[in-house]
Amino acid sequence: MAPAGPDVGPQTPCGQGAAQISLGVDQPYAPNPSLAFPVEEGLQGGVHVDVSLRVQGSLDPDSVDVQLRLWDGDTLRGRHDTADWFFFIDQAAQACDYPKARIVLEDGADGVLPPARLGEVLDRPLILDVRLSSPAGRAERQAQITLLRP
């Protein structure tokens, strides 16, 4: 890795400089400019949403801590945590991808949101808080997203 100045960050396979996070869908990564994500029913009786991440900037793709929180005001409605994970490198885009981070939806009281209560979180703004940390850099993004009926 090339030396870097204090504000530039090291050159990494994800790029150089302050890391920026984009939200998308699928694998391979596809942009989702509407920030509307479909909800899916799981086989174990819960519901979830998959969000793909793309990072451009100084981040070590071989060791990333991933934390996603889905908020409905002050109520936590879902989370995804992965420690010391790897991101896929997209050399053509000079970016690194984390596909389909699964966020299991919660009922607001530490339980899984049952499909019968899905209407509580659909078709209205929620806040997705994304935090990434690696030996080569960090990135954070907060975005207003909408969950769509399955």
Side-chain angles (χ1 to χ4, degrees):
M1 289 185 204
D7 298 320
V8 177
Q11 179 66 43
T12 71
C14 305
Q16 186 174 20
Q20 302 295 315
I21 302 169
S22 299
L23 305 177
V25 294
D26 297 328
Q27 182 181 5
Y29 175 88
N32 183 359
S34 70
L35 299 181
F37 296 89
V39 173
E40 298 178 35
E41 290 189 33
L43 297 174
Q44 297 173 330
V47 287
H48 62 268
V49 61
D50 291 334
V51 177
S52 295
L53 307 177
R54 169 160 282 182
V55 178
Q56 293 178 294
S58 295
L59 195 78
D60 179 353
D62 294 328
S63 179
V64 185
D65 292 340
V66 179
Q67 181 186 70
L68 286 81
R69 297 289 182 268
L70 184 61
W71 295 97
D72 180 7
D74 292 334
T75 303
L76 182 64
R77 287 302 196 151
R79 67 183 94 205
H80 174 98
D81 292 302
T82 303
D84 195 28
W85 201 250
F86 65 92
F87 279 31
F88 292 97
I89 299 168
D90 183 338
Q91 292 178 335
Q94 293 184 322
C96 295
D97 300 337
Y98 184 70
K100 296 185 176 184
R102 180 151 293 169
I103 303 169
V104 176
L105 300 180
E106 301 178 15
D107 65 4
D110 293 328
V112 174
L113 183 71
R117 290 181 48 197
L118 190 54
E120 295 175 17
V121 295
L122 291 179
D123 301 316
R124 57 194 211 73
L126 301 171
I127 299 297
L128 181 64
D129 185 25
V130 180
R131 296 171 191 257
L132 307 175
S133 178
S134 81
R138 303 174 54 83
E140 294 184 7
R141 173 154 185 208
Q142 194 172 74
Q144 182 175 298
I145 69 168
T146 304
L147 303 184
L148 303 174
R149 187 164 305 284

